[in-house]
Amino acid sequence: MENSYSAPALEKGLDILEVLCQSENGLTQQEIASKLGRNLSEIYRMLNCLVQRNYVANYANTYTITSKLFQLSHFHPPTYRLLTEALPIMEGLSRLVSFPCDLRVYNNGVQTVVAAIQPPNGLGFMTRVGSEIEVAPSASGLVLLAFQDPVIKEIRIKESLPNKPDEDIEVFRNSLKEIKLKGFASIKSKQYAGLHAISFPILDMNGNAIAAMTVPMLARIDGTTQFTQEQVENLLRESVLNLSRKLAIGQIDS
């Protein structure tokens, strides 16, 4: 049924925020208007309002998104609680294994990095907080979809693999079954040589993944001793179990 209610001003504001979120270098008023198919007079007042409310910054007539939306997202109680409990555990794990550790959540066909810890030595493959990453074929993407209600899982598969051939979707669906049976994902990167990612789901009371904690292992070639894949898997499992206990939510028994 067609929605009989409309809010043109709100829609213009949201359109501006969305187009700026997709731009890395900022946009001028003319560029924003062009991308939205609107004239300057339609967005001028709305842009000024967004700047005054600190959702958008204006640097030399170039507009960029601020961090306010990201900050507000962390005021949501479940996310705030998750981060509050997860960060100390992630810091301890990263310090112990000397690899980075990050936390990702599913978000409309992609996964968003909501926390990232770098080991004390500052070395390793690390993703930036706020980054949006493809679900397939990453380890974290696999666990975020594998541990879901069947209906939600199918919805997310379609969102994550748009315009993919049925054969590719079926291969991906089968890989999710394997991950679900194993209890976590531990795979070699298909994008970077020498990178191996291990990811465990953080589960809710119904056994559905609300986030994925991931350790990307980057092999050294200088003879420096590193934790083995199996050791990191076990330590990451313990960390996620510890986090689950603190959150009083799902447990991982694998």
Side-chain angles (χ1 to χ4, degrees):
M1 182 177 65
E2 185 177 354
N3 190 354
S4 58
Y5 300 97
S6 63
L10 176 59
E11 290 179 355
K12 279 190 288 187
L14 293 175
D15 286 343
I16 292 171
L17 290 175
E18 289 176 357
V19 77
L20 288 176
C21 283
Q22 296 167 5
S23 173
E24 294 185 1
N25 301 316
L27 300 169
T28 65
Q29 283 192 46
Q30 183 61 58
E31 289 171 333
I32 295 171
S34 176
K35 285 181 177 293
L36 297 179
R38 298 180 180 275
N39 57 52
L40 287 175
S41 62
E42 289 183 281
I43 66 169
Y44 175 76
R45 293 176 60 187
M46 186 60 64
L47 263 177
N48 284 341
C49 178
L50 291 171
V51 170
Q52 291 172 7
R53 296 293 296 269
N54 197 35
Y55 286 95
V56 172
N58 180 5
Y59 300 106
N61 295 319
T62 297
Y63 295 85
T64 59
I65 201 76
T66 69
S67 63
K68 186 172 184 178
L69 284 174
F70 183 74
Q71 293 168 354
L72 288 175
S73 71
H74 289 84
F75 290 145
H76 188 259
T79 304
Y80 179 78
R81 175 83 191 285
L82 174 63
L83 291 175
T84 299
E85 299 290 359
L87 284 172
I89 293 173
M90 294 169 62
E91 289 175 353
L93 175 63
S94 181
R95 188 181 306 112
L96 177 61
V97 301
S98 294
F99 291 116
C101 179
D102 65 55
L103 195 68
R104 305 178 187 185
V105 297
Y106 181 85
N107 182 24
N108 295 324
V110 296
Q111 46 182 330
T112 301
V113 179
V114 295
I117 301 296
Q118 186 80 348
N121 60 18
L123 301 176
F125 184 92
M126 184 175 175
T127 50
R128 177 175 55 85
V129 172
S131 298
E132 291 189 341
I133 303 167
E134 289 185 28
V135 169
S138 71
S140 52
L142 288 170
V143 300
L144 285 172
L145 267 65
F147 293 87
Q148 294 299 332
D149 172 89
V151 174
I152 299 299
K153 183 189 299 183
E154 285 303 314
I155 292 173
R156 292 188 175 185
I157 289 174
K158 292 178 181 178
E159 288 178 338
S160 305
L161 301 173
N163 305 317
K164 291 289 185 179
D166 292 341
E167 295 79 7
D168 291 353
I169 294 176
E170 190 58 30
V171 169
F172 182 72
R173 188 179 286 112
N174 289 332
S175 68
L176 295 180
K177 294 177 182 177
E178 296 175 3
I179 296 301
K180 182 69 178 290
L181 288 173
K182 187 175 183 180
F184 66 102
S186 183
I187 61 174
K188 291 182 179 179
S189 173
K190 296 182 179 180
Q191 298 167 303
Y192 301 96
L195 185 67
H196 188 101
I198 304 169
S199 187
F200 276 78
I202 298 167
L203 306 174
D204 64 16
M205 295 175 60
N206 298 313
N208 298 320
I210 60 172
M213 190 181 294
T214 305
V215 171
M217 299 178 63
L218 191 61
R220 298 189 64 153
I221 59 174
D222 60 358
T224 300
T225 302
Q226 292 181 296
F227 275 73
T228 66
Q229 176 185 321
E230 184 178 0
Q231 288 174 322
V232 174
E233 289 174 356
N234 290 332
L235 289 167
L236 181 53
R237 178 187 289 108
E238 291 176 9
S239 296
V240 172
L241 279 169
N242 187 18
L243 176 59
S244 294
R245 295 187 190 102
K246 289 180 177 295
L247 295 173
I249 54 177
Q251 301 282 319
I252 296 178
D253 300 320
S254 299

